Amino acid sequence: MTGRQLITGTQNTWCPGCGNFSIQHTLKNVLAEMEQEGKSLDDVVLVSGIGCHAKIADYLNINSFYSLHGRTIPVATGIKLANPKLTVICCSGDGDSYAEGLDHLIFAAKRNIDITVLIHNNRVYGLTTGQYTPTSPLGFKGKSTPAGTAEYPFNPIELMLASGATYVARGYTKKMDLLKKLVLEGIAHKGFAFIDMLQICATFFPVADYYTSRVYELPDHDRTDFESACIKAREWDYNSDARIALGTFFERSLPCFDDKMAQHEINPADRIRAIQEFLLTRT
Ligand code: SF4
């Protein structure tokens, strides 16, 4: 299929000014570029979770799976293992993969499965009208914390580096050219690619001025240097007023989980025989 209309006609219910629009258009531009370069979009699958971000599965005209809360990554993992030739892109939220689905995120990074995870990190539960998430700043006042949160946020860049992710980057929805470059890089990366996308929630956490005055693009640095990536990752802890680095923190090449699993493939008859033998030893 070529030249398809990538934005669907589904009624869009995101709030005016929502950063999800920038992500949707970034992905549209990424997909169009991939198609121009000869990639069949029939071989691309988008998986979303639950939250405002997840509606992107309805708004982009591409194979998609609208999954359960926090379960974006296991669904994407299953799709990739079932058909390794597919390019699998996960759109997930901070309330999705940094909270209920955090264990899946960590283990996908540890396994180095060849999927691309894009986190719409608006640092608030927008769909449920403004509760704090794992990346909300200390003192965040929302529906569940009117007096302010008593918890520090965690730093997802540092967490992904520690978990073994082989591509780690941060983008910002008001820097769309850079965001597109990062998403293209993440998809081209062979292995687990993670991009934390600072996304504006226009209704419950409108911090565009805060980000815009602090972000800068990482100057040329050795992206294979893990220690330097950690130092850069710690520069802004998602709470302080430090400058916020955007770009690729780290990249390295390692064997992928899906390739290793493909080598272990056994034929269905042998699998059934092995299961029967296992069950017989238990009776
Ligand atoms: Fe976007 Fe926030 Fe509105 Fe959700 S609540 S659609 S994240 S602006």
Side-chain angles (χ1 to χ4, degrees), residues 13-15 18 20 52 122 126-127 199-204:
T13 57
W14 286 328
C15 310
C18 176
N20 279 316
C52 293
N122 58 15
L127 193 67
Q199 179 227 313
I200 302 302
C201 173
T203 304
F204 297 108

Side-chain angles (χ1 to χ4, degrees), residues 19-222:
N20 279 316
F21 287 105
S22 303
I23 296 170
Q24 179 196 23
H25 283 272
T26 298
L27 268 175
K28 179 198 76 174
N29 294 337
V30 162
L31 293 166
E33 189 164 317
M34 287 166 67
E35 192 175 39
Q36 271 168 15
E37 288 175 359
K39 174 86 178 174
S40 168
L41 296 189
D42 291 341
D43 291 335
V44 179
V45 183
L46 176 75
V47 184
S48 71
I50 295 293
C52 293
H53 80 273
K55 299 176 187 177
I56 199 165
D58 284 337
Y59 302 157
L60 279 174
N61 181 19
I62 191 164
N63 300 315
S64 59
F65 194 116
Y66 205 140
S67 72
L68 299 174
H69 193 231
R71 309 299 171 223
T72 325
I73 290 173
V75 169
T77 299
I79 292 170
K80 185 69 184 177
L81 290 180
N83 189 349
K85 79 169 190 178
L86 295 176
T87 296
V88 183
I89 302 168
C90 276
C91 282
S92 186
D94 48 314
D96 203 46
S97 280
Y98 294 163
E100 187 164 349
L102 182 62
D103 49 347
H104 300 304
L105 179 68
I106 290 171
F107 278 89
K110 174 180 176 289
R111 290 177 180 132
N112 195 33
I113 183 153
D114 184 21
I115 60 176
T116 303
V117 173
L118 309 176
I119 304 292
H120 301 222
N121 186 4
N122 58 15
R123 307 172 70 202
V124 68
Y125 284 97
L127 193 67
T128 50
T129 70
Q131 297 79 15
Y132 76 103
T133 73
T135 48
S136 302
L138 179 71
F140 174 87
K141 290 186 179 166
K143 291 282 171 66
S144 57
T145 51
T149 60
E151 297 175 33
Y152 282 94
F154 68 57
N155 181 334
I157 301 287
E158 203 176 355
L159 179 69
M160 285 294 93
L161 288 169
S163 302
T166 50
Y167 179 91
V168 179
R170 184 195 285 137
Y172 172 38
T173 52
K174 286 194 174 289
K175 298 277 183 192
M176 284 179 67
D177 286 347
L178 176 64
L179 195 57
K180 179 182 169 205
K181 176 174 167 280
L182 297 177
V183 174
L184 280 165
E185 272 188 17
I187 292 170
H189 174 77
K190 178 81 178 134
F192 182 80
F194 167 83
I195 304 173
D196 183 58
M197 305 186 296
L198 298 175
Q199 179 227 313
I200 302 302
C201 173
T203 304
F204 297 108
F205 198 48
V207 286
D209 290 347
Y210 173 88
Y211 289 147
T212 303
S213 63
R214 287 170 178 77
V215 293
Y216 72 99
E217 282 191 39
L218 277 170
D220 279 344
H221 81 122
D222 180 3

